[in-house]
Amino acid sequence: MEKHLFLGDEAIAQAAIDAGMSGVYAYPGTPSTEITEYIQNSATAKQLGIHSNWSSNEKTALETALGMCYAGKRALCCMKHVGLNVAADCFMNASMTGIHGGMIIITADDPSMHSSQNEQDNRVYGNFAMIPMLEPSNQQEAYDMVYDGFELSEKLGYPILLRITTRMAHSRSGVVTRPAKEQNGLSYPTDGRQRFILLPALARKRYKTLLAAQEGFTTASEESVYNTYFDSPNKKLGIITTGIAFNYLSENFPDGFENPVLKICQYPLPKKQLIKLAEACDELLVIEEGYPVVEEQLKGFLGKGLIVHGRLDGTLPRDGELTPDLVGRALGKEVATYYTIPPVVEMRPPALCQGCGHRDLYDAMNEVLNEYKEPKVFGDIGCYTLGALAPFRAIDTCVDMGASITMGKGAADAGCFPAVSVIGDSTFTHSGMTGLLDCVNENTNMLLIISDNETTGMTGGQDSAGTGRLESICLGIGVEPAHLRSLIPLKKNYEEMKQLIREEIEYKGLSVIISRRECIQTLARKKKASKK
């Protein structure tokens, strides 16, 4: 047993290696990215032959992990919270099939939207799929939950959803590791055709099996070491707290809790402990990071007129991250503010790197589009999304991965001209290809620009699934060769870039331009590495 200073992400990764995992499947997305990167860089993982290549998107990642579990081995699947939306089809049905080898699915939620489009709380997904969930309150628990979680998954026969948040993922703490376990051998479920073929007649039986398993899931929560009841004599208020929010509560009681506290870090809700708290206390306060998931369940769960405070009644804010001060105010404590943020360190908007190829593309594109009355540019998720900000103001929309192409198509169908879509290379292979097929099938009058920086730049320069193959992919989908063109976004090519963009806008049909220049950051890292 050794002690390490780990990020929450690193604790999860090391635990998965130590727990006998055979593969990690993921698509990079903050704040989950470092889990897979840690495993990719681990000499132990390499020696053990643990699979750790990036997947094209979260759906393919989860389906591949499920395939590994079908073969009896343990698999980890990691994604940020919005990634579970992409993987939801497989996720919901994996709760119907169950698993053979152990599976843990990591959802890294992002309260306050530090790097995301929303702050959804994926405990809702766990309840939706009716599978067990874990939510660590510190890095040691994150390690232990993953280390023991594969065995729990195999014991219960279902995937485990482990929810962390940005603070947990990206803060450090001492973590004591445990002895490494052997990987599972290859084996297959003896009832595989009854479980893994979800024809309606079989799926109805599996759904009854899932429903019958709920009692066992609840019993596991009630017996879990991660669900702890702290008693206290002041029964006027009982406090329920979950995951990382337990720390914010603890900071307000350095000398011990003044009220009974139930710490919940394993779901479904532990009924026995909740009933004990509700019967002992006059009112309840729920402190949880994210949505009022527990708070909403309690109001119907308890079946009595107990007053429940939390995010729904305004005791705590409905949005954003919790802090010790917010929790203190909710407890009725006086919280003094001693510091103000100096203007020099106030938050500033991010910007495209100096020397970034997206900059030259946007400059040329903007100049051409100024020649038209009402041009519309549909953007996507990646570094190039920063083109929405000054000085470019180059894109009009950014909704979700791949939506640039499909929204551009819809606008073109409505009569918008020119309709231009801008997407990155990694996002294109993530979820843009099927939208392009719709455009090809109807020869939509729009221009698609794939801004190819040959990496997944926004999340730190991970491999991109389409590198070196974008032309082949587009041709395979059916783009006309005469209107599949490329450019190198450099100042010296500025006039040529404008002319090419202008020509393809004027073409009455589908055009694709691939704007290709390597990310300035990955290029700098390669040059630095070559000098060593």
Side-chain angles (χ1 to χ4, degrees):
M1 299 176 73
E2 298 180 359
K3 193 162 188 176
H4 304 264
L5 186 64
F6 277 151
L7 293 174
D9 279 350
E10 294 170 341
I12 288 168
Q14 186 62 53
I17 295 170
D18 293 343
M21 172 191 67
S22 296
V24 57
Y25 298 92
Y27 180 82
T30 305
S32 70
T33 308
E34 290 85 355
I35 301 172
T36 305
E37 287 185 332
Y38 181 94
I39 296 167
Q40 289 173 335
N41 294 324
S42 166
T44 302
K46 288 185 177 71
Q47 182 182 355
L48 294 171
I50 294 174
H51 181 281
S52 61
N53 291 339
W54 293 107
S55 301
S56 294
N57 64 35
E58 295 85 359
K59 180 178 184 290
T60 64
L62 186 52
E63 290 164 347
T64 315
L66 185 60
M68 177 169 275
C69 294
Y70 177 86
K73 301 208 171 188
R74 293 177 171 177
L76 184 70
C77 186
C78 312
M79 60 198 73
K80 69 181 295 174
H81 59 306
V82 291
L84 194 50
N85 300 334
V86 179
D89 196 7
C90 179
F91 177 74
M92 294 301 297
N93 289 334
S95 74
M96 295 283 283
T97 65
I99 47 85
H100 182 47
M103 177 193 278
I104 296 177
I105 303 164
I106 306 294
T107 172
D109 294 1
D110 192 19
S112 286
M113 294 178 271
H114 295 285
S115 58
S116 308
Q117 308 98 293
N118 68 32
E119 58 178 46
Q120 72 186 51
D121 184 335
N122 280 349
R123 290 179 299 166
V124 174
Y125 262 124
N127 288 337
F128 191 21
M130 295 188 287
I131 62 171
M133 289 183 286
L134 298 168
E135 185 182 12
S137 66
N138 56 56
Q139 284 74 9
Q140 183 67 59
E141 281 191 348
Y143 178 92
D144 292 337
M145 285 178 173
V146 173
Y147 186 87
D148 296 325
F150 285 107
E151 286 187 8
L152 178 64
S153 173
E154 291 167 351
K155 177 183 175 182
L156 297 176
Y158 288 88
I160 302 290
L161 182 66
L162 191 145
R163 184 223 187 197
I164 59 173
T165 60
T166 301
R167 295 291 166 194
M168 176 60 59
H170 290 164
S171 59
R172 292 187 182 275
S173 180
V175 173
V176 177
T177 58
R178 293 154 71 180
K181 301 176 184 179
E182 294 288 331
Q183 293 184 31
N184 288 355
L186 195 65
S187 67
Y188 300 101
T190 55
D191 60 345
R193 290 186 177 178
Q194 294 295 311
R195 292 172 52 196
F196 287 91
I197 299 176
L198 292 179
L199 290 170
L202 299 175
R204 284 192 285 270
K205 293 179 182 178
R206 287 301 305 170
Y207 186 49
K208 289 182 185 295
T209 303
L210 176 61
L211 292 173
Q214 298 305 304
E215 185 176 348
F217 296 168
T218 300
T219 299
S221 289
E222 291 171 344
E223 296 174 353
S224 172
V225 296
Y226 304 117
N227 292 338
T228 310
Y229 190 99
F230 302 88
D231 206 357
S232 188
N234 184 356
K235 301 294 196 293
K236 289 184 179 180
L237 180 69
I239 301 171
I240 299 167
T241 186
T242 68
I244 197 169
F246 176 74
N247 298 289
Y248 305 144
L249 175 67
S250 299
E251 288 193 34
N252 279 280
F253 292 106
D255 300 320
F257 298 127
E258 298 171 4
N259 305 88
V261 172
L262 174 58
K263 173 195 172 196
I264 298 176
C265 290
Q266 182 168 331
Y267 303 81
L269 295 179
K271 290 185 179 180
K272 289 181 181 178
Q273 291 94 322
L274 280 171
I275 291 171
K276 178 181 177 182
L277 185 72
E279 289 180 345
C281 300
D282 299 335
E283 298 182 3
L284 296 180
L285 170 64
V286 182
I287 304 170
E288 55 189 321
E289 187 74 288
Y291 290 1
V293 173
V294 174
E295 187 180 351
E296 287 182 332
Q297 284 184 274
L298 280 181
K299 296 197 172 183
F301 175 79
L302 296 173
K304 56 187 288 189
L306 196 69
I307 297 173
V308 179
H309 302 288
R311 289 191 183 264
L312 290 175
D313 71 347
T315 303
L316 289 163
R318 187 64 178 84
D319 65 321
E321 286 184 294
L322 294 178
T323 65
D325 286 356
L326 288 172
V327 171
R329 293 188 186 99
L331 294 165
K333 295 177 176 285
E334 287 191 17
V335 178
T337 301
Y338 299 100
Y339 306 102
T340 57
I341 301 175
V344 72
V345 295
E346 284 183 354
M347 287 187 66
R348 289 166 289 181
L352 291 168
C353 300
Q354 294 298 321
C356 172
H358 300 319
R359 285 177 169 267
D360 296 316
L361 169 66
Y362 282 142
D363 284 339
M365 185 185 75
N366 279 344
E367 190 166 334
V368 173
L369 291 178
N370 283 336
E371 301 169 9
Y372 295 88
K373 185 178 179 182
E374 283 190 301
K376 295 298 175 187
V377 180
F378 301 90
D380 225 296
I381 308 294
C383 293
Y384 48 90
T385 313
L386 298 175
L389 306 177
F392 305 103
R393 307 288 186 192
I395 63 175
D396 296 289
T397 70
C398 174
V399 178
D400 62 75
M401 299 279 272
S404 59
I405 298 176
T406 38
M407 286 187 70
K409 180 185 185 301
D413 291 347
C416 173
F417 178 79
V420 179
S421 297
V422 178
I423 194 169
D425 51 314
S426 181
T427 309
F428 175 67
T429 53
H430 177 285
S431 53
M433 296 187 294
T434 48
L436 180 59
L437 181 58
D438 285 349
C439 298
V440 166
N441 287 340
E442 298 185 39
N443 195 27
T444 303
N445 186 21
M446 62 172 277
L447 169 61
L448 168 63
I449 299 176
I450 303 175
S451 191
D452 178 12
N453 61 4
E454 301 183 335
T455 189
T456 310
M458 183 65 106
T459 50
Q462 296 79 22
D463 292 339
S464 174
T467 299
R469 296 192 293 272
L470 292 181
E471 284 87 352
S472 298
I473 292 169
C474 291
L475 290 171
I477 289 172
V479 176
E480 289 187 20
H483 295 283
L484 174 60
R485 307 179 70 178
S486 63
L487 59 82
I488 300 173
L490 289 167
K491 293 295 185 199
K492 67 179 182 179
N493 301 330
Y494 193 68
E495 293 302 320
E496 177 187 343
M497 291 164 60
K498 289 195 301 179
Q499 182 59 27
L500 194 154
I501 292 169
R502 188 179 294 111
E503 288 174 6
E504 295 308 322
I505 286 175
E506 289 299 321
Y507 170 65
K508 302 305 179 186
L510 175 66
S511 298
V512 177
I513 294 174
I514 299 173
S515 172
R516 179 176 290 119
R517 197 171 111 214
E518 185 174 6
C519 170
I520 194 75
Q521 297 295 337
T522 57
L523 180 61
R525 284 196 288 270
K526 286 179 183 177
K527 288 182 176 179
K528 184 177 180 180
S530 67
K531 294 177 181 179
K532 290 183 179 179

